[in-house]
Structures are given as C-alpha cells and as structure tokens.
C-alpha cells in the first residue's frame, strides 16, 4: 500500500513503529520543549485520499496550542517534540497514536493509519509561566527576580504575537495578566531604579 511504501523511508521515533517521521525541510534552533505552546500548519490525510480530512493551512495565523492540553492526537504531540522552528515534516501515525480503534466518524474510519504533514511555525516555552500562575499570591512573591523577568518576557511574547495577528482581545488579556501581578510591577520598578555600571 502507499503508506507501507512511505513507511520504509521514514524514521521510527519511538521504536515501536507507531509514529514514523520524514523531514521534508529542516528547521533551526532547539527542539520544542515539553511545556511549549506551538503554532503549526497541518494537514491530515487518510490512505488513498487526495484531499485532507482535516487542515488549518487556510488560516494565516494559526492559534497557539498548548502541548498536553490543546493537541489532541498523541502521535502529533510526540512528533512535535522532535521538531525545530521552521521545520516541515511528514508523520505516519498508527491508530493507537491517532484516532484509535473507534476512529473519529465521519472524518476517520475505525483503526485508521493517518498521515500528517506539519510545519512548525513557532513555539513559546511556557513552563515558567504555567508554574508561576499556578502558585498562590504569597508563593508568587517569593519567586526570584530573574525567574520573574522570564515569566514577564514570555507573557509579553504571547501578547505581542497575538497583537501582531490582530487578536487584540486575547493580546489584551495576556498583557493584563502580567500587569495585574503587583509583585511584577514592584520588582520591575526596582529594576528600573537601579543604576548599572
């Protein structure tokens, strides 16, 4: 079958044949970290199909998806963790890494192996932000300044990305989340008042 022929030229990511990868165009920089939010273009295909059953390639600015939360296919999440910014790759997912024995009617039949073409546009590592905002206000006040500045910078990056994509309400929410933390404001003011040699 076409997928069997394609599988012969692909890399087995996990060693069990469940997630296979072929890099079409190399990316640059570090691999996607586990707690990242990713912006991707993707298209999913069934064997013998010319058109995708699912795609977001018509969207100029795809929304950021949080790994472990917004990415619903286990195989896709595994694959994304092997990618670098700008990379374009093709993945084959066996049913247990895709839609399982039941499939996802009417889009995918039961026990379907699926092909996904994925371009990693960008990612932001949000582990520090997630950890910070999961803390109580008292715990947040104990966070060291360098770590706090990293949280501020990441949230600003999220906000700027949303603003540039004209998602103004979402950008405003990101900016407000940072601004509402009094500890951040106090520490940033302290930093602004410092004189560096």
């Amino acid at each position: 079958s076409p997928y069997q022929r394609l599988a012969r030229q692909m890399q087995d990511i996990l060693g069990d044949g469940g997630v296979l990868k072929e890099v079409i165009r190399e990316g640059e920089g570090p691999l996607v970290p586990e707690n990242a939010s990713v912006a991707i273009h993707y298209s999913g295909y069934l064997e013998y199909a010319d058109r995708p059953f699912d795609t977001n390639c018509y969207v100029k600015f795809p929304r950021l998806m949080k790994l472990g939360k917004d990415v619903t296919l286990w195989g896709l999440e595994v694959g994304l963790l092997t990618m670098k910014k700008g990379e374009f790759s093709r993945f084959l997912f066996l049913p247990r890494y895709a839609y399982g024995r039941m499939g996802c009617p009417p889009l995918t039949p039961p026990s379907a192996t699926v092909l996904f073409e994925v371009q990693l546009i960008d990612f932001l590592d949000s582990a520090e932000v997630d950890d910070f905002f999961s803390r109580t206000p008292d715990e947040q006040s104990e966070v060291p300044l360098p770590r706090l500045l990293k949280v501020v910078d990441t949230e600003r990056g999220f906000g700027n990305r949303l603003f540039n994509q004209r998602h103004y309400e979402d950008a405003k929410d990101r900016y407000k989340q940072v601004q509402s933390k009094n500890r951040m404001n106090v520490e940033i003011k302290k930093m602004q008042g410092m004189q560096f040699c």
Side-chain angles (χ1 to χ4, degrees):
S1 75
Y3 280 4
Q4 289 171 334
R5 287 193 300 272
L6 182 61
R8 290 188 198 119
Q9 65 192 41
M10 300 178 92
Q11 175 190 1
D12 186 350
I13 293 176
L14 297 174
D16 66 356
V19 179
L20 303 177
K21 177 182 181 180
E22 177 185 21
V23 176
I24 307 299
R25 186 178 63 240
E26 296 283 344
E28 295 180 349
L31 296 175
V32 173
E34 286 185 22
N35 293 298
S37 292
V38 298
I40 61 172
H41 276 140
Y42 68 86
S43 294
Y45 296 88
L46 295 171
E47 197 165 21
Y48 302 107
D50 292 332
R51 295 192 307 170
F53 64 84
D54 188 18
T55 186
N56 76 341
C57 290
Y58 56 86
V59 177
K60 185 174 181 181
F61 300 114
R63 69 180 184 87
L64 286 167
M65 297 187 298
K66 176 77 174 155
L67 295 181
K69 180 180 175 186
D70 300 320
V71 179
T72 56
L73 289 185
W74 185 19
L76 182 55
E77 185 148 340
V78 168
L80 285 167
L81 292 172
T82 69
M83 296 183 76
K84 298 178 180 180
K85 184 176 176 179
E87 180 179 325
F88 179 69
S89 289
R90 186 178 292 151
F91 296 93
L92 269 179
F93 305 133
L94 289 184
R96 68 179 173 273
Y97 292 98
Y99 299 98
R101 285 184 293 189
M102 295 189 63
C104 187
L107 297 177
T108 61
S111 299
T113 296
V114 294
L115 172 75
F116 267 75
E117 293 179 340
V118 181
Q119 179 186 5
L120 178 62
I121 298 166
D122 200 3
F123 68 86
L124 292 170
D125 186 355
S126 54
E128 294 277 352
V129 172
D130 296 340
D131 179 62
F132 180 82
F133 288 113
S134 71
R135 295 169 177 256
T136 66
D138 288 340
E139 292 171 332
Q140 289 176 359
S141 68
E142 299 299 319
V143 171
L145 182 58
R147 190 168 172 201
L148 180 64
L149 291 175
K150 187 173 180 184
V151 169
V152 170
D153 190 51
T154 302
E155 276 297 283
R156 182 182 51 78
F158 276 113
N160 290 347
R161 178 178 184 76
L162 291 164
F163 183 85
N164 291 335
Q165 296 172 356
R166 297 189 173 124
H167 297 291
Y168 300 121
E169 285 299 314
D170 293 336
K172 181 181 78 173
D173 291 342
R174 287 289 185 171
Y175 295 140
K176 276 180 146 180
Q177 187 165 338
V178 172
Q179 192 66 23
S180 69
K181 300 301 176 185
N182 289 333
R183 162 105 164 105
M184 287 185 186
N185 294 332
V186 169
E187 292 297 340
I188 289 170
K189 286 177 185 173
K190 283 182 190 175
M191 286 288 293
Q192 290 171 342
M194 289 180 179
Q195 300 216 348
F196 295 97
C197 300

